[in-house]
PDB file of all heavy atoms in Angstrom:
ATOM      1  N   MET J  90      64.683   3.874 141.371  1.00 87.00           N
ATOM      2  CA  MET J  90      64.352   2.694 142.165  1.00 87.00           C
ATOM      3  C   MET J  90      65.554   1.777 142.130  1.00 87.00           C
ATOM      4  O   MET J  90      65.979   1.369 141.044  1.00 87.00           O
ATOM      5  CB  MET J  90      63.101   2.021 141.611  1.00 87.00           C
ATOM      6  CG  MET J  90      61.881   2.941 141.632  1.00 87.00           C
ATOM      7  SD  MET J  90      60.399   2.160 141.007  1.00 87.00           S
ATOM      8  CE  MET J  90      60.046   1.029 142.339  1.00 87.00           C
ATOM      9  N   ASP J  91      66.088   1.477 143.285  1.00 91.00           N
ATOM     10  CA  ASP J  91      67.362   0.765 143.371  1.00 91.00           C
ATOM     11  C   ASP J  91      67.273  -0.395 144.353  1.00 91.00           C
ATOM     12  O   ASP J  91      66.382  -0.471 145.182  1.00 91.00           O
ATOM     13  CB  ASP J  91      68.457   1.713 143.869  1.00 91.00           C
ATOM     14  CG  ASP J  91      68.456   3.042 143.168  1.00 91.00           C
ATOM     15  OD1 ASP J  91      68.656   3.078 141.948  1.00 91.00           O
ATOM     16  OD2 ASP J  91      68.233   4.056 143.869  1.00 91.00           O
ATOM     17  N   TYR J  93      69.916  -2.353 147.125  1.00 93.00           N
ATOM     18  CA  TYR J  93      71.171  -2.340 147.863  1.00 93.00           C
ATOM     19  C   TYR J  93      71.280  -3.650 148.646  1.00 93.00           C
ATOM     20  O   TYR J  93      70.287  -4.370 148.830  1.00 93.00           O
ATOM     21  CB  TYR J  93      71.218  -1.176 148.863  1.00 93.00           C
ATOM     22  CG  TYR J  93      71.360   0.184 148.243  1.00 93.00           C
ATOM     23  CD1 TYR J  93      70.292   0.815 147.613  1.00 93.00           C
ATOM     24  CD2 TYR J  93      72.574   0.867 148.308  1.00 93.00           C
ATOM     25  CE1 TYR J  93      70.428   2.075 147.056  1.00 93.00           C
ATOM     26  CE2 TYR J  93      72.726   2.130 147.756  1.00 93.00           C
ATOM     27  CZ  TYR J  93      71.649   2.728 147.136  1.00 93.00           C
ATOM     28  OH  TYR J  93      71.790   3.963 146.586  1.00 93.00           O
ATOM     29  N   MET J 127      58.509  -3.531 142.223  1.00 91.00           N
ATOM     30  CA  MET J 127      59.740  -3.663 141.467  1.00 91.00           C
ATOM     31  C   MET J 127      60.418  -4.964 141.892  1.00 91.00           C
ATOM     32  O   MET J 127      60.196  -5.465 142.996  1.00 91.00           O
ATOM     33  CB  MET J 127      60.670  -2.474 141.660  1.00 91.00           C
ATOM     34  CG  MET J 127      61.192  -2.246 143.067  1.00 91.00           C
ATOM     35  SD  MET J 127      62.340  -0.834 143.049  1.00 91.00           S
ATOM     36  CE  MET J 127      62.800  -0.754 144.776  1.00 91.00           C
ATOM     37  N   CYS J 144      65.344  -2.673 149.129  1.00 95.00           N
ATOM     38  CA  CYS J 144      64.915  -1.840 148.009  1.00 95.00           C
ATOM     39  C   CYS J 144      64.863  -0.392 148.479  1.00 95.00           C
ATOM     40  O   CYS J 144      64.644  -0.103 149.661  1.00 95.00           O
ATOM     41  CB  CYS J 144      63.567  -2.289 147.452  1.00 95.00           C
ATOM     42  SG  CYS J 144      62.197  -2.266 148.625  1.00 95.00           S
ATOM     43  N   HIS J 145      65.081   0.494 147.549  1.00 95.00           N
ATOM     44  CA  HIS J 145      65.112   1.931 147.821  1.00 95.00           C
ATOM     45  C   HIS J 145      64.408   2.631 146.675  1.00 95.00           C
ATOM     46  O   HIS J 145      64.650   2.321 145.511  1.00 95.00           O
ATOM     47  CB  HIS J 145      66.567   2.404 147.940  1.00 95.00           C
ATOM     48  CG  HIS J 145      66.720   3.884 147.956  1.00 95.00           C
ATOM     49  ND1 HIS J 145      67.068   4.603 146.830  1.00 95.00           N
ATOM     50  CD2 HIS J 145      66.560   4.784 148.954  1.00 95.00           C
ATOM     51  CE1 HIS J 145      67.125   5.882 147.141  1.00 95.00           C
ATOM     52  NE2 HIS J 145      66.822   6.019 148.432  1.00 95.00           N
ATOM     53  N   ALA J 146      63.555   3.566 147.011  1.00 93.00           N
ATOM     54  CA  ALA J 146      62.825   4.272 145.961  1.00 93.00           C
ATOM     55  C   ALA J 146      62.752   5.761 146.274  1.00 93.00           C
ATOM     56  O   ALA J 146      62.578   6.161 147.428  1.00 93.00           O
ATOM     57  CB  ALA J 146      61.410   3.707 145.827  1.00 93.00           C
ATOM     58  N   GLU J 158      62.115   9.812 149.699  1.00 95.00           N
ATOM     59  CA  GLU J 158      62.862   8.547 149.635  1.00 95.00           C
ATOM     60  C   GLU J 158      62.346   7.553 150.663  1.00 95.00           C
ATOM     61  O   GLU J 158      62.019   7.928 151.798  1.00 95.00           O
ATOM     62  CB  GLU J 158      64.351   8.799 149.871  1.00 95.00           C
ATOM     63  CG  GLU J 158      65.007   9.631 148.786  1.00 95.00           C
ATOM     64  CD  GLU J 158      66.519   9.628 148.899  1.00 95.00           C
ATOM     65  OE1 GLU J 158      67.091   8.562 149.173  1.00 95.00           O
ATOM     66  OE2 GLU J 158      67.113  10.693 148.699  1.00 95.00           O
ATOM     67  N   TYR J 159      62.286   6.297 150.241  1.00 95.00           N
ATOM     68  CA  TYR J 159      61.801   5.242 151.124  1.00 95.00           C
ATOM     69  C   TYR J 159      62.707   4.021 151.002  1.00 95.00           C
ATOM     70  O   TYR J 159      63.279   3.759 149.935  1.00 95.00           O
ATOM     71  CB  TYR J 159      60.371   4.832 150.750  1.00 95.00           C
ATOM     72  CG  TYR J 159      59.381   5.960 150.837  1.00 95.00           C
ATOM     73  CD1 TYR J 159      59.072   6.729 149.716  1.00 95.00           C
ATOM     74  CD2 TYR J 159      58.769   6.277 152.051  1.00 95.00           C
ATOM     75  CE1 TYR J 159      58.159   7.776 149.802  1.00 95.00           C
ATOM     76  CE2 TYR J 159      57.869   7.319 152.136  1.00 95.00           C
ATOM     77  CZ  TYR J 159      57.574   8.066 150.999  1.00 95.00           C
ATOM     78  OH  TYR J 159      56.672   9.100 151.101  1.00 95.00           O
ATOM     79  N   TRP J 160      62.781   3.258 152.105  1.00 96.00           N
ATOM     80  CA  TRP J 160      63.539   2.015 152.141  1.00 96.00           C
ATOM     81  C   TRP J 160      62.632   0.867 152.544  1.00 96.00           C
ATOM     82  O   TRP J 160      61.731   1.040 153.378  1.00 96.00           O
ATOM     83  CB  TRP J 160      64.682   2.102 153.153  1.00 96.00           C
ATOM     84  CG  TRP J 160      65.804   2.987 152.742  1.00 96.00           C
ATOM     85  CD1 TRP J 160      65.926   4.331 152.972  1.00 96.00           C
ATOM     86  CD2 TRP J 160      66.987   2.614 152.032  1.00 96.00           C
ATOM     87  NE1 TRP J 160      67.101   4.795 152.449  1.00 96.00           N
ATOM     88  CE2 TRP J 160      67.776   3.759 151.861  1.00 96.00           C
ATOM     89  CE3 TRP J 160      67.450   1.398 151.521  1.00 96.00           C
ATOM     90  CZ2 TRP J 160      69.011   3.741 151.201  1.00 96.00           C
ATOM     91  CZ3 TRP J 160      68.672   1.370 150.863  1.00 96.00           C
ATOM     92  CH2 TRP J 160      69.439   2.529 150.709  1.00 96.00           C
TER      93      TRP J 160
END
Side-chain angles (χ1 to χ4, degrees):
M90 300 181 72
D91 313 298
Y93 289 75
M127 63 177 180
C144 59
H145 169 261
E158 295 191 41
Y159 300 94
W160 289 89

